[in-house]
Structure formats: structure tokens, C-alpha cells
Amino acid sequence: MRIAFLGTGRMGTELALHLLPDHELTVWNRTASRTRRLAEAGAAVAGTAAEAVAGAELVVTSLFGPDAVRETVTAPSLIPDGVTWVDTTTVSPADADEFAAAVPTYVGAPVVGTLGPARQGTLGVYVGTPDDARREQVLELVAPWADPERPRGVGSGREAAVGKPLANLALAVSAQGLREALALGEATGTSAEATLDMLGSTGLAFIAGMKGPFVRGERSTEGGDFTADAIAKDARLMIDTVDGARPTARLAPAATCPRARSPGLARRGDRRRPRRGRLLHDPAPGRRAHRRVRPQRRSSGIP
């Protein structure tokens, strides 16, 4: 199949590489140098998104966020009539509704997992569209990058868009839990290795296993698997979705990333760790806020 793949950042490149053996791939990225790996692997490189899409039987997008999708795809009416558009970008349910209304062939296909599972072809994938035939087509397309047990077809792009922020919320909360557990262990004279071992029988076992190599120094944080700005971007989607639906029930900024409410801080590739000490919940109207906890500076942390 002739496929246009738009957005070859770190995740997009891994996804596109899985498609190369079985498809004719034309790729495009705003920063042309980021297409180099795919070009070396045999993909054609287009100078513009429009050039990439010309003649394509299917279009895949893997962009930084919903604004990039609007700028690249919906504003210029990029997708030709009848051509399936598979969007792996993390967007909110409202964004998915907007894109589906703009492009009837829209299929929301967010992926769940980081670069390691992407390289290994063991990601989770939601595939959302009311078109049964199109859903089956895309489920087959994404199979090379998905764990055989983890592709999930759902009835709309909106439904697919719910799954990804739920997964990333769980990641953010458990990562913060691991950080605090390591600090508690340090404060009691317990080694990081012993703390990780004890967490093996708790609800933090999964994140302890995932981040253990970083804690032990077996892996460098250089490059990372998931940047602070990526989780901040996703956190803003979560916060906006909850605030928009139930203004009095706010999602905790600290449970995701304290920088999430400040769009100006979303610089791509920033790997700084977020600060702690925020309230878990905004106080309800008329009620006094709980005391803010300001932990002492400590060295234990996770990437």
C-alpha cells in the first residue's frame, strides 16, 4: 500500500520503520533531518506534507499534539476525499470529535507505551472509528507495532482518545509514587535496591520494574523514553477535559505535572523533572485548602 507518514519524531520514526517492509512509504517531517533514519531504511522523503500525501492510499500522522494536527492536516484540508487518515497523535476526546467531523475517514489510533515497546513491536493501540471495514483495515495495519494482545478496536475516535490519557495518567501518578517511595526509603536508611525489591509486592511493582534500571544506574537518562514536556502536554489535555466537563471537579496538577497549566513551558525535548509540593486537589468553593506540603530537597528521583 502507498502510505504517507507525517511526523517522524522519536515515536513516529519507530512506527514508520515497522511499516517499511510491507508498504511503499513516503515520509515528511517539519524538521527534515529527522527523516534521515527512514530515508536510509528505504523510505521516500517529501519536501512538504502535501507532496507526501499526493497519491497516497492511506495517511498516518504522528504529531506533537492537537494544534500540530490542526496546522498540518485539518486547516489546509490535507486529506484527499476517501483516503483513510490514521492519527496516532495524543489528542483529547473533544479534539477527536473535531477531527472526525472535519475528515469523515478519520481513525483515531493512539499508542500506549514508550520507545522500548515501540521498537519491540509491543505497544498497546486503540483503533477508533464507527466504520467497521476501516477499523479492521487499520487494526491490520498497526499489527507490526502492537503486542498481539493489546490492539483494541473501538467505535469512535473519541473513545480511542480516552484510552491514551488514562494510560498516561496512570504512568504519571505511579512515577510520582515511585519517586516518593525512594525518598521514604532514603530517609529511613534503606537502599534504593532494597526499596525496589519491597515495592515488588505492591501496586508500584510495574513502575519499579520499568524504572529500576535508571535508579540502579544501569541506564542513562540521556535521551530518556518519555520527556517531561511530553507528559506535561498530555496532562494539559487531561486537565482541560475534566475541567471542561465538571468545572468543580478538577484533576490534580501535581498528579501529572505541575507545569501542565503553562503552555509556554512546553519546549520539546526538555527533560527537567517537575517540582513537588502541590495540592492534590483544588479546594471546593467555600472550603479551606489543605496545608501544602513542602518536602525537603533530596536526591532520589526517576527519569
Side-chain angles (χ1 to χ4, degrees), residues 52-300:
V53 167
E57 299 171 87
L58 183 143
V59 178
V60 181
T61 49
S62 182
L63 303 170
F64 189 69
D67 288 342
V69 173
R70 293 183 183 95
E71 180 182 350
T72 304
V73 180
T74 59
S77 300
L78 184 73
I79 308 299
D81 290 344
V83 172
T84 298
W85 169 28
V86 181
D87 185 30
T88 70
T89 309
T90 300
V91 302
S92 73
D95 295 325
D97 283 344
E98 174 190 332
F99 301 152
V103 182
T105 58
Y106 171 80
V107 181
V111 299
V112 178
T114 56
L115 293 177
R119 295 183 185 110
Q120 298 159 12
T122 57
L123 291 166
V125 188
Y126 288 91
V127 176
T129 174
D131 186 322
D132 293 341
R134 209 177 297 276
R135 187 186 317 118
E136 290 304 313
Q137 177 195 29
V138 177
L139 281 167
E140 182 178 348
L141 177 79
V142 304
W145 67 59
D147 183 306
E149 302 298 320
R150 297 182 70 193
R152 181 173 179 180
V154 294
S156 68
R158 179 184 184 85
E159 190 174 349
V162 172
K164 178 62 179 285
L166 284 175
N168 281 357
L169 176 60
L171 173 66
V173 171
S174 59
Q176 183 68 19
L178 176 58
R179 184 185 178 106
E180 299 303 332
L182 289 166
L184 176 60
E186 182 182 358
T188 59
T190 306
S191 69
E193 184 60 43
T195 300
L196 290 170
D197 182 62
M198 286 187 278
L199 290 175
S201 58
T202 73
L204 291 175
F206 177 79
I207 195 71
M210 177 189 293
K211 299 300 184 182
F214 292 102
V215 176
R216 298 184 188 97
E218 298 167 356
R219 282 192 64 189
S220 168
T221 58
E222 182 63 30
D225 287 335
F226 202 80
T227 67
D229 282 333
I231 196 66
K233 166 184 65 69
D234 294 350
R236 283 195 297 276
L237 294 177
M238 304 173 205
I239 292 167
D240 291 345
T241 297
V242 173
D243 285 357
R246 297 172 59 193
T248 60
R250 297 184 178 276
L251 188 66
T256 50
C257 178
R259 297 192 299 152
R261 290 188 182 276
S262 181
L265 288 173
R267 295 191 301 276
R268 302 180 194 183
D270 188 346
R271 298 177 183 86
R272 291 176 297 172
R273 296 189 182 99
R275 293 173 298 166
R276 298 181 303 284
R278 296 294 183 89
L279 283 172
L280 285 183
H281 298 281
D282 293 343
R287 298 186 63 180
R288 187 178 58 169
H290 295 293
R291 179 174 61 88
R292 294 180 184 269
V293 178
R294 296 289 183 187
Q296 296 297 312
R297 183 183 300 274
R298 54 202 180 225
S299 60
S300 298

